[in-house]
Amino acid sequence: MENKRIEAQYEALGISPKVYQFGAKIEHELAQRFLDIDKTAEFNQMKVIAAMQKNHVSAECFAMSNGYGYNDLGRDTLEKVYASCFGGEDALVRPQITCGTHALALALMSNLRPGDELLSPVGKPYDTLEEVIGIRPSKGSLAEYGISYRQVDLLPDGSFDYENIRKAINEKTRLVTIQRSKGYQTRPSLSVAKIGELITFVKSIKPDVLCMVDNCYGEFVEEREPLEVGADMIVGSLIKNPGGGLAPIGGYIVGKKECIENAAYRLTSPGLGKEVGASLNVISSFYQGLFQAPVVTAGALKGAIFAANIYEKLGFPVIPNGSESRHDIIQAVTLNSPEGLIAFCKGIQAAAPVDSYVTPEPWAMPGYDSEVIMAAGAFVQGSSIELSADGPLKPPYAVYFQGGLTWYHAKLGILMSLQKLYEQNLVNTNMM
Ligand SMILES: *Cc1c(COP(=O)(O)O)cnc(C)c1O
């Protein structure tokens, strides 16, 4: 079964035969799941190609625009491609949207007005949104503009608290924000089907409320996307799944025409909207990245499932577990000791194509109450569709791990993390 020539390649990179063979056994057991992931990628690849063909992507689309960017064919066509691909009426896909948080802030600030209320029916939103909303006071937050916020937590079993969601919706409720990925929390990530159920419920109480989905880390993980189950807007980052690892910057909003128009007027200026915003030299990487994104996401997903199964077999708690269905690309592994967490991150770093020779060390990162260790050797700074891992140096010493531009690199990263634990006697070798 094992190919000795390939094993030798891993050994040359520092993976011992024992670790390699344990990985090979786990990989073998995952054959059917990997086939299913490939089928999803195939489905989504066709979806992307169809969107490109329908909107007549041509060589002219890759030309650079500068200055005001009037009549930027590449930019305008790409936005049509995103709209077709994700099932929206229109889209805003721009390098001027600096990151996922910016895209989410833009969608919220442009579609809410003073006196409106924002509701999160899925508990606490992603950390960086706390300042956008004003949960943690911040300059320029929604709260400063007189936009209030309400939150309904998920029930202990991770399901929606329909009764309290019903009570929370009132005459001021204008927008409901639903985060698809658990991010760095321990709640389950939401399937598109579940998101659809929640949206149907919300709209049955108040039909004109806008439903926005924070789609970060979720794109192309399933065959359907949230706009297909009733969302009005989806929002995400191009240095995660939909940029396919090639987009060097950017964010997107796809959805109802009016929502996108509001966002465009806010991003540029009232009166200008989508008409300005040169795409400079990055536009072709947006196209190529989207083209590759289904396959890149599949690789990252295989890596997450591989890691879950490796570490679960060795007795470490993992979220999601080795067998449950996936709705995003994040994997958490609880390593139970600072040495384990550090060793894991050192392995991820040592497997990287970039900066593999540096050693990650815990540091006191601003905004955190404990030291944090991070590992990433990425072509694009901070890109989390590329293989990366981080975790706070405090009990239970959980690492959050995601990405991998190719499955093979994700596999090497995970084997290298295990190698580092193995070398320090932090794993029970009887379980391998
Ligand atoms: C990454 C992420 C964000 C923020 O994106 P940045 O690009 O890091 O600003 C928001 N929500 C979720 C669920 C994310 O995963």
Side-chain angles (χ1 to χ4, degrees), residues 98-102 104 126 128-129 179-184 214-217 237 239-240 330 384:
T98 55
C99 61
T101 304
H102 186 187
L104 288 157
Y126 198 74
T128 55
L129 285 184
Q179 188 179 305
R180 180 170 174 181
S181 166
K182 66 183 173 306
Y184 301 115
D214 175 351
N215 213 25
C216 283
Y217 286 133
S237 163
I239 62 169
K240 292 180 179 171
I330 302 180
S384 45

Side-chain angles (χ1 to χ4, degrees), residues 225-288:
E225 297 289 340
L227 294 173
E228 297 169 68
V229 295
D232 299 289
M233 269 190 288
I234 56 171
V235 184
S237 163
L238 298 195
I239 62 169
K240 292 180 179 171
N241 310 13
L246 294 178
I249 191 171
Y252 76 85
I253 306 174
V254 187
K256 291 263 159 64
K257 200 161 189 57
E258 199 189 331
C259 295
I260 302 304
E261 205 165 40
N262 282 333
Y265 284 140
R266 175 82 192 210
L267 175 66
T268 63
S269 156
L272 300 181
K274 294 183 76 182
E275 305 298 319
V276 295
S279 54
L280 302 173
N281 270 326
V282 300
I283 197 75
S284 62
S285 69
F286 284 14
Y287 280 100
Q288 283 182 284

Side-chain angles (χ1 to χ4, degrees), residues 311 333 335 339-348 389 399 401 417 421:
Y311 283 98
V333 180
L335 293 152
E339 295 78 23
L341 174 58
I342 293 167
F344 185 103
C345 289
K346 285 186 172 167
I348 296 294
V399 72
F401 151 94
S417 73
L421 284 145

